[in-house]
Amino acid sequence: MLRLTRHPEPILKPVIHHPWESRYVFNAGVVYHNGLVHMLYRAMGEDGISRLGYAVSADGLNFCRLDQPVLAPATPWESRGVEDPRITRIGDRFYVLYTAYSEHGVRVSMASTTNFITWTRHGVLLPDEDNKDAALFPDKINGRYAMLHRRPPDIWLAYSEDLIHWTDHQVIMRPRPGTWESWKIGAGAPPIQTPWGWLLFYHGVDEQRVYRLGVALLDLENPARMIRRQETPILSPETPWEREGQVPHVVFTCGAVEIAGIYYVYYGGADAAIGVATVTTEEVERFCRGR
Ligand code: BMA
């Protein structure tokens, strides 16, 4: 059974003298590039609007951050905030899918960068529907880009020729009645390629609104085909800072990286602080092989 081991304390907390991140930091997307973990995280301050901050680390645990947000609301779709960034490297660019929040609802939006400071905005991807928890696959699958998204309460798959127009939407994972993931589920980290399939760290919510993390394996050629899905969660809210915060009893991931034989899964605790939990590649292989 795969289980994550948490680093006991948060690795990133709010900064009182940064008005944009003085209250809460949570839900971090990550990518490992040139020996550094690059992190985008959701931050909230005095005005209650989410912005994205940037932090970087050489060891995956100690992060340096900028004193200004790198992505802030800029369009009518984003008037109430930009949330939950999920980073995928495609070619030499980093593409970020995030939630644009406004009085019109929530929308899947995309921006890209090469340096995490200057951005190209690609706009809203699924303009006609409330949708979030979207993540891009890092490689084309049978010649097309692929992404996961969430039409409540399920995880969906869609394909695109150009990253902008999305078609062939299909449900790939549903909540499981009577379990820790009975109410709704959503993609967590963007899918990670392994020799055995796409490794997916995702979140599940129960009827008491407790958010936990789970793990699944999707077929490399056809991610609509589920190879394996663990019945038990891999991380549940247990520490005080995961149980009490802005929203109680939440662990919520937007990104994971593999460095030297260890997967680092970054997550928001109680929508208030950022933690990390790890698992070895051997344990992941055991799950992938069904042993
Ligand atoms: C989801 C998203 C996340 C948040 C979670 C728990 O719907 O809004 O950003 O972490 O709820 O509150």
PDB file of all heavy atoms in Angstrom, residues 109-127:
ATOM      1  N   SER A 109      -7.839  28.297 -16.976  1.00  0.00           N
ATOM      2  CA  SER A 109      -7.072  29.276 -17.743  1.00  0.00           C
ATOM      3  C   SER A 109      -5.638  28.802 -17.897  1.00  0.00           C
ATOM      4  O   SER A 109      -5.159  27.980 -17.124  1.00  0.00           O
ATOM      5  CB  SER A 109      -7.066  30.625 -17.037  1.00  0.00           C
ATOM      6  OG  SER A 109      -8.323  31.222 -17.149  1.00  0.00           O
ATOM      7  N   MET A 110      -4.956  29.368 -18.902  1.00  0.00           N
ATOM      8  CA  MET A 110      -3.578  28.937 -19.171  1.00  0.00           C
ATOM      9  C   MET A 110      -2.666  30.147 -19.367  1.00  0.00           C
ATOM     10  O   MET A 110      -3.041  31.118 -20.021  1.00  0.00           O
ATOM     11  CB  MET A 110      -3.536  28.045 -20.418  1.00  0.00           C
ATOM     12  CG  MET A 110      -2.154  27.464 -20.698  1.00  0.00           C
ATOM     13  SD  MET A 110      -2.202  26.120 -21.918  1.00  0.00           S
ATOM     14  CE  MET A 110      -2.469  27.046 -23.426  1.00  0.00           C
ATOM     15  N   ALA A 111      -1.474  30.058 -18.806  1.00  0.00           N
ATOM     16  CA  ALA A 111      -0.412  31.033 -19.055  1.00  0.00           C
ATOM     17  C   ALA A 111       0.875  30.234 -19.231  1.00  0.00           C
ATOM     18  O   ALA A 111       0.960  29.086 -18.777  1.00  0.00           O
ATOM     19  CB  ALA A 111      -0.281  32.006 -17.895  1.00  0.00           C
ATOM     20  N   SER A 112       1.859  30.824 -19.911  1.00  0.00           N
ATOM     21  CA  SER A 112       3.127  30.099 -20.062  1.00  0.00           C
ATOM     22  C   SER A 112       4.294  31.050 -19.868  1.00  0.00           C
ATOM     23  O   SER A 112       4.157  32.276 -19.966  1.00  0.00           O
ATOM     24  CB  SER A 112       3.199  29.403 -21.427  1.00  0.00           C
ATOM     25  OG  SER A 112       3.332  30.351 -22.461  1.00  0.00           O
ATOM     26  N   THR A 113       5.449  30.452 -19.581  1.00  0.00           N
ATOM     27  CA  THR A 113       6.628  31.241 -19.253  1.00  0.00           C
ATOM     28  C   THR A 113       7.877  30.406 -19.511  1.00  0.00           C
ATOM     29  O   THR A 113       7.800  29.170 -19.585  1.00  0.00           O
ATOM     30  CB  THR A 113       6.575  31.677 -17.767  1.00  0.00           C
ATOM     31  OG1 THR A 113       7.669  32.541 -17.475  1.00  0.00           O
ATOM     32  CG2 THR A 113       6.647  30.474 -16.834  1.00  0.00           C
ATOM     33  N   THR A 114       9.008  31.072 -19.614  1.00  0.00           N
ATOM     34  CA  THR A 114      10.280  30.349 -19.613  1.00  0.00           C
ATOM     35  C   THR A 114      11.065  30.639 -18.339  1.00  0.00           C
ATOM     36  O   THR A 114      12.037  29.950 -18.037  1.00  0.00           O
ATOM     37  CB  THR A 114      11.161  30.751 -20.821  1.00  0.00           C
ATOM     38  OG1 THR A 114      11.330  32.177 -20.796  1.00  0.00           O
ATOM     39  CG2 THR A 114      10.527  30.331 -22.132  1.00  0.00           C
ATOM     40  N   ASN A 115      10.642  31.674 -17.586  1.00  0.00           N
ATOM     41  CA  ASN A 115      11.451  32.120 -16.446  1.00  0.00           C
ATOM     42  C   ASN A 115      10.644  32.360 -15.160  1.00  0.00           C
ATOM     43  O   ASN A 115      11.210  32.781 -14.157  1.00  0.00           O
ATOM     44  CB  ASN A 115      12.193  33.403 -16.824  1.00  0.00           C
ATOM     45  CG  ASN A 115      11.239  34.484 -17.294  1.00  0.00           C
ATOM     46  OD1 ASN A 115      10.054  34.463 -16.966  1.00  0.00           O
ATOM     47  ND2 ASN A 115      11.741  35.420 -18.067  1.00  0.00           N
ATOM     48  N   PHE A 116       9.347  32.139 -15.191  1.00  0.00           N
ATOM     49  CA  PHE A 116       8.440  32.315 -14.049  1.00  0.00           C
ATOM     50  C   PHE A 116       8.245  33.779 -13.643  1.00  0.00           C
ATOM     51  O   PHE A 116       7.587  34.071 -12.655  1.00  0.00           O
ATOM     52  CB  PHE A 116       8.881  31.478 -12.841  1.00  0.00           C
ATOM     53  CG  PHE A 116       8.753  30.007 -13.097  1.00  0.00           C
ATOM     54  CD1 PHE A 116       9.872  29.258 -13.467  1.00  0.00           C
ATOM     55  CD2 PHE A 116       7.515  29.380 -13.036  1.00  0.00           C
ATOM     56  CE1 PHE A 116       9.753  27.904 -13.744  1.00  0.00           C
ATOM     57  CE2 PHE A 116       7.396  28.041 -13.310  1.00  0.00           C
ATOM     58  CZ  PHE A 116       8.516  27.295 -13.675  1.00  0.00           C
ATOM     59  N   ILE A 117       8.811  34.690 -14.412  1.00  0.00           N
ATOM     60  CA  ILE A 117       8.655  36.118 -14.087  1.00  0.00           C
ATOM     61  C   ILE A 117       7.805  36.792 -15.168  1.00  0.00           C
ATOM     62  O   ILE A 117       6.865  37.524 -14.860  1.00  0.00           O
ATOM     63  CB  ILE A 117      10.037  36.826 -14.005  1.00  0.00           C
ATOM     64  CG1 ILE A 117      10.967  36.089 -13.036  1.00  0.00           C
ATOM     65  CG2 ILE A 117       9.858  38.300 -13.610  1.00  0.00           C
ATOM     66  CD1 ILE A 117      10.541  36.122 -11.599  1.00  0.00           C
ATOM     67  N   THR A 118       8.168  36.575 -16.412  1.00  0.00           N
ATOM     68  CA  THR A 118       7.393  37.160 -17.510  1.00  0.00           C
ATOM     69  C   THR A 118       6.501  36.079 -18.113  1.00  0.00           C
ATOM     70  O   THR A 118       6.929  34.934 -18.298  1.00  0.00           O
ATOM     71  CB  THR A 118       8.329  37.738 -18.596  1.00  0.00           C
ATOM     72  OG1 THR A 118       9.245  36.718 -18.984  1.00  0.00           O
ATOM     73  CG2 THR A 118       9.087  38.930 -18.064  1.00  0.00           C
ATOM     74  N   TRP A 119       5.264  36.472 -18.418  1.00  0.00           N
ATOM     75  CA  TRP A 119       4.241  35.500 -18.778  1.00  0.00           C
ATOM     76  C   TRP A 119       3.569  35.824 -20.097  1.00  0.00           C
ATOM     77  O   TRP A 119       3.387  36.985 -20.443  1.00  0.00           O
ATOM     78  CB  TRP A 119       3.156  35.471 -17.687  1.00  0.00           C
ATOM     79  CG  TRP A 119       3.679  34.926 -16.401  1.00  0.00           C
ATOM     80  CD1 TRP A 119       4.295  35.645 -15.405  1.00  0.00           C
ATOM     81  CD2 TRP A 119       3.692  33.561 -15.988  1.00  0.00           C
ATOM     82  NE1 TRP A 119       4.680  34.794 -14.395  1.00  0.00           N
ATOM     83  CE2 TRP A 119       4.312  33.511 -14.725  1.00  0.00           C
ATOM     84  CE3 TRP A 119       3.223  32.375 -16.560  1.00  0.00           C
ATOM     85  CZ2 TRP A 119       4.486  32.323 -14.029  1.00  0.00           C
ATOM     86  CZ3 TRP A 119       3.387  31.194 -15.862  1.00  0.00           C
ATOM     87  CH2 TRP A 119       4.023  31.185 -14.616  1.00  0.00           C
ATOM     88  N   THR A 120       3.181  34.769 -20.802  1.00  0.00           N
ATOM     89  CA  THR A 120       2.257  34.887 -21.922  1.00  0.00           C
ATOM     90  C   THR A 120       0.933  34.317 -21.464  1.00  0.00           C
ATOM     91  O   THR A 120       0.891  33.173 -20.983  1.00  0.00           O
ATOM     92  CB  THR A 120       2.761  34.073 -23.136  1.00  0.00           C
ATOM     93  OG1 THR A 120       4.064  34.533 -23.478  1.00  0.00           O
ATOM     94  CG2 THR A 120       1.820  34.225 -24.325  1.00  0.00           C
ATOM     95  N   ARG A 121      -0.120  35.101 -21.580  1.00  0.00           N
ATOM     96  CA  ARG A 121      -1.449  34.597 -21.201  1.00  0.00           C
ATOM     97  C   ARG A 121      -2.150  34.028 -22.423  1.00  0.00           C
ATOM     98  O   ARG A 121      -2.184  34.668 -23.473  1.00  0.00           O
ATOM     99  CB  ARG A 121      -2.290  35.716 -20.592  1.00  0.00           C
ATOM    100  CG  ARG A 121      -1.957  36.001 -19.157  1.00  0.00           C
ATOM    101  CD  ARG A 121      -2.639  37.274 -18.708  1.00  0.00           C
ATOM    102  NE  ARG A 121      -2.182  37.634 -17.387  1.00  0.00           N
ATOM    103  CZ  ARG A 121      -2.769  37.226 -16.261  1.00  0.00           C
ATOM    104  NH1 ARG A 121      -3.847  36.481 -16.301  1.00  0.00           N
ATOM    105  NH2 ARG A 121      -2.283  37.583 -15.089  1.00  0.00           N
ATOM    106  N   HIS A 122      -2.666  32.820 -22.267  1.00  0.00           N
ATOM    107  CA  HIS A 122      -3.371  32.169 -23.380  1.00  0.00           C
ATOM    108  C   HIS A 122      -4.880  32.199 -23.192  1.00  0.00           C
ATOM    109  O   HIS A 122      -5.612  31.709 -24.037  1.00  0.00           O
ATOM    110  CB  HIS A 122      -2.878  30.730 -23.530  1.00  0.00           C
ATOM    111  CG  HIS A 122      -1.388  30.630 -23.702  1.00  0.00           C
ATOM    112  ND1 HIS A 122      -0.760  30.797 -24.913  1.00  0.00           N
ATOM    113  CD2 HIS A 122      -0.400  30.418 -22.796  1.00  0.00           C
ATOM    114  CE1 HIS A 122       0.556  30.664 -24.751  1.00  0.00           C
ATOM    115  NE2 HIS A 122       0.792  30.438 -23.478  1.00  0.00           N
ATOM    116  N   GLY A 123      -5.326  32.707 -22.053  1.00  0.00           N
ATOM    117  CA  GLY A 123      -6.764  32.897 -21.836  1.00  0.00           C
ATOM    118  C   GLY A 123      -7.473  31.682 -21.276  1.00  0.00           C
ATOM    119  O   GLY A 123      -6.857  30.727 -20.795  1.00  0.00           O
ATOM    120  N   VAL A 124      -8.795  31.741 -21.353  1.00  0.00           N
ATOM    121  CA  VAL A 124      -9.652  30.695 -20.803  1.00  0.00           C
ATOM    122  C   VAL A 124      -9.765  29.551 -21.809  1.00  0.00           C
ATOM    123  O   VAL A 124      -9.979  29.781 -22.996  1.00  0.00           O
ATOM    124  CB  VAL A 124     -11.039  31.289 -20.479  1.00  0.00           C
ATOM    125  CG1 VAL A 124     -12.056  30.216 -20.193  1.00  0.00           C
ATOM    126  CG2 VAL A 124     -10.925  32.251 -19.291  1.00  0.00           C
ATOM    127  N   LEU A 125      -9.607  28.300 -21.319  1.00  0.00           N
ATOM    128  CA  LEU A 125      -9.609  27.161 -22.256  1.00  0.00           C
ATOM    129  C   LEU A 125     -11.008  26.583 -22.493  1.00  0.00           C
ATOM    130  O   LEU A 125     -11.313  26.148 -23.594  1.00  0.00           O
ATOM    131  CB  LEU A 125      -8.690  26.052 -21.735  1.00  0.00           C
ATOM    132  CG  LEU A 125      -7.212  26.420 -21.564  1.00  0.00           C
ATOM    133  CD1 LEU A 125      -6.405  25.174 -21.226  1.00  0.00           C
ATOM    134  CD2 LEU A 125      -6.640  27.109 -22.795  1.00  0.00           C
ATOM    135  N   LEU A 126     -11.812  26.538 -21.463  1.00  0.00           N
ATOM    136  CA  LEU A 126     -13.159  25.956 -21.605  1.00  0.00           C
ATOM    137  C   LEU A 126     -14.157  27.043 -21.208  1.00  0.00           C
ATOM    138  O   LEU A 126     -14.693  27.017 -20.096  1.00  0.00           O
ATOM    139  CB  LEU A 126     -13.306  24.704 -20.721  1.00  0.00           C
ATOM    140  CG  LEU A 126     -12.245  23.609 -20.906  1.00  0.00           C
ATOM    141  CD1 LEU A 126     -12.395  22.519 -19.834  1.00  0.00           C
ATOM    142  CD2 LEU A 126     -12.351  22.984 -22.295  1.00  0.00           C
ATOM    143  N   PRO A 127     -14.386  28.029 -22.102  1.00  0.00           N
ATOM    144  CA  PRO A 127     -15.103  29.251 -21.701  1.00  0.00           C
ATOM    145  C   PRO A 127     -16.552  29.034 -21.280  1.00  0.00           C
ATOM    146  O   PRO A 127     -17.098  29.831 -20.535  1.00  0.00           O
ATOM    147  CB  PRO A 127     -15.030  30.140 -22.954  1.00  0.00           C
ATOM    148  CG  PRO A 127     -14.688  29.233 -24.070  1.00  0.00           C
ATOM    149  CD  PRO A 127     -13.954  28.075 -23.494  1.00  0.00           C
TER     150      PRO A 127
END
